[in-house]
Amino acid sequence: PDAAAGEAARLRQQRLTKPPGSLGRLETLAVRLAALQGRARPRLDRVRIVVFAADHGVAEEGVSAFPQAVTVEMIRNFARGGAAISVLARTLGASLEVVDVGAAADPGPLPGVVAARQGAGTANFTRAPAMTPGQLAGALGAGREAVARAREAGCDLFVAGEMGIANTTVAAALTAALLDLAPDAVAGRGTGVDDAGLARKVDAIRRALALHRAAAGDPMEALRRLGGFEIAAIAGAYIACAQAGIPAVVDGFIAGAAALAAVRVRPEVRPWLLFGHRSAEGGHARLLAALGAEPVLDLGMRLGEGTGAAASVAVLRLACALHDGMATFEEAGVSGGPA
Amino acid sequence: PDAAAGEAARLRQQRLTKPPGSLGRLETLAVRLAALQGRARPRLDRVRIVVFAADHGVAEEGVSAFPQAVTVEMIRNFARGGAAISVLARTLGASLEVVDVGAAADPGPLPGVVAARQGAGTANFTRAPAMTPGQLAGALGAGREAVARAREAGCDLFVAGEMGIANTTVAAALTAALLDLAPDAVAGRGTGVDDAGLARKVDAIRRALALHRAAAGDPMEALRRLGGFEIAAIAGAYIACAQAGIPAVVDGFIAGAAALAAVRVRPEVRPWLLFGHRSAEGGHARLLAALGAEPVLDLGMRLGEGTGAAASVAVLRLACALHDGMATFEEAGVSGGPA
């Protein structure tokens, strides 16, 4: 972050025709974006949304309300423009890319879909590490490469989304390991699992944590054993964003687990992350607290795909527009500006 | 509201490619707008923002951090496009109108500013009723006429904003009278008054409530005695919106007090009101609770002008875009749709 650009933005906010602080977070977000983008007047013209999709071995434990086939079906839906994130990207004028990091079935070539498959889904982490070291490296690299493509295309803001049946179970297991929490403190109903499904979810997480207990102290090893291809890819993307100086907006629970892993591996990533929304998924509050994050929106969303982060872009843009377009007290001849 | 259109929208939400309910309030807001607009796919193409500006006799009690001259200075700033609401209107592609309902000084003819002056500010309500019956009728009419102009121009959604030095004091007095609350439960720092100013504010409200005690049971009389020109105009606008079948998004504390008055006068107004944001002004929470309102945004804003409501329009539009643009399970060939 560029402290001088942030300070210039802060001083500008004091001079705009409004009582100081009266735009609340629309002021602080503009100042923060100024520091991250290194310009006193931040812009969000070029927003890149990348949805990372993958499957999870733990799905066979009956932890999701939807069949695994949905992951590939949704990859096709993203590509055809029918999914929620497709609509948001179109509405926001953001570019959308889908990265298949390893769905159970190979969707084959599709427009707008990058194949970076690390396997046909991860291993069932209740029995074995989710990923081999090579798969973890490949998934992290898929995230890094998505940021490199975004940067090449010009990118003022990066949004990572995810799709993967059973991935709230994976995010919950990883969060529990990294924050030393009980399974039932982080497991929620995800896309809408019933009581029996929730019990299976808690049980699967409990068994996974017991099996991989030794890895909890090492965030990269926890990510390998308890994570997923798309979660590792998103963690890799956040690390790459920080290295490239691109601010990223974190989506909900699953992206949040990736953010926590990334920050545990590289603490210098944290300042580059904004948080788009507070998810309805219970474990998300624990993640936000651990990361000291205050999300922009709180709309009871729990879809994933990057939708909460994308929705927040509309608010972030208003913050930038106000910061750039309002008159100062001097310009407007309004009384009561800063002394 | 059109129950059939609302039900059609609700059924459509169940068929879109996402777990039911997973878009949270983006779903319920789309369904609500469908019922209010009487079409299964609501649209927010034509948004009208009207800022009502006026001055208040109670300003002479030293209750504001800014001099009264700022009201007219800000009317000019609105007209020239430099104010926060000007920028938001431009960014959202919304039409902006300013109505001078009675600033202390007459700004004279200005582009985009309608003169509907009921006087050079209200009377000081610590000593006399704020408005005469004729002034109240004129202010209510100014609001009604603004909605008629909006309707004539085509209007999918109406946003009322306000500007008036000392009007958080007025909104607090009116709220206290209508909800039978103590002055210190509703008086906040407004645009940034210091401790001494806050004490003067609480004292002025206390004296006003004592003087006009008999009017508290009659919302129209409370509005006349304890309200302001812009607050009465906004109340008139909300009543007119309900009559014309146009949904309105309520801004923060001052517009909220106008909404409360309107709903107390005509309970059938309530369904037509959405609530844009939760203001940082303390008394706003009491208003929202009394109206059973759950605002869209919570960004710590406390500027007024309609800015919180306008900011929420960006989110409401995403709700409409998702509702209209997403594929259904059948269209997308995705498993797990409604049985």
Side-chain angles (χ1 to χ4, degrees):
Chain A
D2 179 334
E7 179 62 10
R10 197 187 64 75
L11 290 174
R12 175 168 171 77
Q13 280 289 337
Q14 298 300 311
R15 296 170 54 217
L16 299 177
T17 45
K18 57 179 172 54
S22 62
L23 283 172
R25 296 204 62 200
L26 296 181
E27 298 187 14
T28 52
L29 288 165
V31 170
R32 176 101 182 273
L33 285 166
L36 294 178
Q37 294 188 345
R39 46 190 170 191
R41 305 212 188 179
R43 300 189 66 87
L44 296 177
D45 300 327
R46 299 165 304 174
V47 174
R48 177 75 142 210
I49 303 174
V50 181
V51 180
F52 297 92
D55 273 307
H56 300 273
V58 73
E60 71 191 26
E61 303 289 330
V63 294
S64 177
F66 285 81
Q68 200 169 47
V70 169
T71 302
V72 159
E73 291 165 356
M74 286 301 296
I75 290 176
R76 294 202 180 93
N77 199 21
F78 297 141
R80 278 196 301 247
I85 193 64
S86 320
V87 174
L88 290 177
R90 215 151 54 220
T91 307
L92 295 165
S95 62
L96 176 65
E97 181 181 89
V98 180
V99 177
D100 173 13
V101 214
D106 187 339
L110 287 170
V113 180
V114 174
R117 297 174 55 78
Q118 307 303 313
T122 54
N124 181 342
F125 63 30
T126 66
R127 302 192 200 156
M131 292 175 251
T132 66
Q135 286 176 320
L136 173 63
L140 288 164
R144 202 164 51 232
E145 285 154 25
V147 173
R149 286 189 297 273
R151 190 186 191 186
E152 187 70 24
C155 179
D156 298 316
L157 189 74
F158 188 89
V159 171
E162 45 56 46
M163 172 68 216
I165 293 302
N167 69 4
T168 60
T169 301
V170 177
L174 183 58
T175 300
L178 293 177
L179 297 182
D180 194 18
L181 294 170
D184 59 2
V186 287
R189 292 190 184 269
T191 51
V193 87
D194 61 13
D195 284 351
L198 181 58
R200 286 193 295 274
K201 192 167 171 175
V202 169
D203 183 59
I205 296 168
R206 187 187 53 70
R207 286 183 283 132
L209 291 174
L211 180 63
H212 304 293
R213 187 179 296 128
D218 176 347
M220 195 59 101
E221 185 64 4
L223 183 60
R224 181 177 82 82
R225 288 172 167 268
L226 293 164
F229 296 147
E230 83 282 47
I231 293 176
I234 294 173
Y238 292 150
I239 293 169
C241 280
Q243 288 168 341
I246 298 172
V249 187
V250 179
D251 191 37
F253 184 51
I254 292 138
L260 180 64
V263 169
R264 287 290 166 95
V265 171
R266 299 274 177 96
E268 67 272 24
V269 170
R270 176 64 187 86
W272 296 92
L273 304 179
L274 302 169
F275 289 79
H277 81 127
R278 182 178 295 277
S279 166
E281 184 73 4
H284 194 218
R286 312 298 289 256
L287 272 176
L288 291 170
L291 287 162
E294 198 55 61
V296 176
L297 297 174
D298 184 0
L299 296 171
M301 297 169 71
R302 53 179 172 80
L303 174 57
E305 301 180 4
T307 52
S312 79
V313 169
V315 173
L316 298 178
R317 278 188 174 155
L318 295 181
C320 292
L322 287 162
H323 183 76
D324 186 53
M326 283 181 70
T328 64
F329 282 100
E330 308 88 289
E331 285 163 0
V334 172
S335 310
Chain B
D2 179 335
E7 179 61 9
R10 198 187 63 75
L11 289 174
R12 175 167 170 78
Q13 280 289 338
Q14 297 301 311
R15 297 169 55 217
L16 299 178
T17 45
K18 58 180 170 53
S22 63
L23 283 172
R25 296 205 62 201
L26 296 180
E27 298 187 15
T28 54
L29 288 165
V31 170
R32 176 100 183 273
L33 285 166
L36 294 177
Q37 295 189 346
R39 46 188 170 191
R41 304 210 189 180
R43 301 190 64 88
L44 296 177
D45 300 327
R46 299 164 305 174
V47 174
R48 177 74 142 210
I49 303 174
V50 182
V51 181
F52 298 92
D55 272 306
H56 300 272
V58 71
E60 70 191 26
E61 303 289 331
V63 295
S64 175
F66 286 81
Q68 200 169 47
V70 168
T71 303
V72 160
E73 290 166 355
M74 285 302 296
I75 290 176
R76 295 204 179 91
N77 197 23
F78 297 141
R80 278 196 301 247
I85 193 63
S86 322
V87 174
L88 290 177
R90 215 152 53 221
T91 306
L92 295 165
S95 63
L96 176 66
E97 180 181 89
V98 180
V99 178
D100 173 14
V101 214
D106 186 341
L110 287 170
V113 180
V114 174
R117 296 174 54 78
Q118 306 302 315
T122 53
N124 181 342
F125 63 30
T126 66
R127 301 192 200 156
M131 292 174 253
T132 66
Q135 287 176 320
L136 173 62
L140 288 164
R144 202 164 51 232
E145 285 154 24
V147 172
R149 287 189 297 274
R151 191 186 190 186
E152 187 70 25
C155 179
D156 298 317
L157 188 75
F158 187 88
V159 171
E162 43 58 45
M163 171 68 216
I165 292 302
N167 69 4
T168 59
T169 301
V170 178
L174 183 59
T175 300
L178 293 176
L179 298 182
D180 193 20
L181 295 170
D184 59 2
V186 286
R189 293 190 184 269
T191 51
V193 88
D194 61 14
D195 285 350
L198 181 58
R200 286 192 295 274
K201 191 166 171 175
V202 169
D203 183 60
I205 296 167
R206 187 187 52 72
R207 286 182 283 131
L209 291 174
L211 180 64
H212 305 293
R213 187 180 295 128
D218 176 348
M220 195 60 99
E221 185 64 4
L223 183 60
R224 181 177 81 82
R225 289 172 167 267
L226 293 164
F229 297 145
E230 82 282 47
I231 292 175
I234 294 172
Y238 292 150
I239 293 169
C241 280
Q243 289 168 341
I246 298 172
V249 187
V250 179
D251 192 38
F253 183 51
I254 291 138
L260 179 64
V263 168
R264 285 290 166 94
V265 171
R266 299 275 176 95
E268 67 271 25
V269 170
R270 177 64 187 86
W272 296 92
L273 304 180
L274 303 169
F275 289 79
H277 81 126
R278 183 178 296 278
S279 165
E281 185 73 3
H284 194 219
R286 312 299 288 259
L287 274 175
L288 291 169
L291 287 161
E294 198 56 60
V296 176
L297 297 175
D298 184 359
L299 296 170
M301 297 169 72
R302 52 177 172 81
L303 174 57
E305 301 180 7
T307 51
S312 78
V313 170
V315 173
L316 298 177
R317 278 190 175 152
L318 295 181
C320 293
L322 287 161
H323 183 76
D324 186 54
M326 283 181 70
T328 63
F329 282 100
E330 307 90 288
E331 287 163 358
V334 171
S335 311

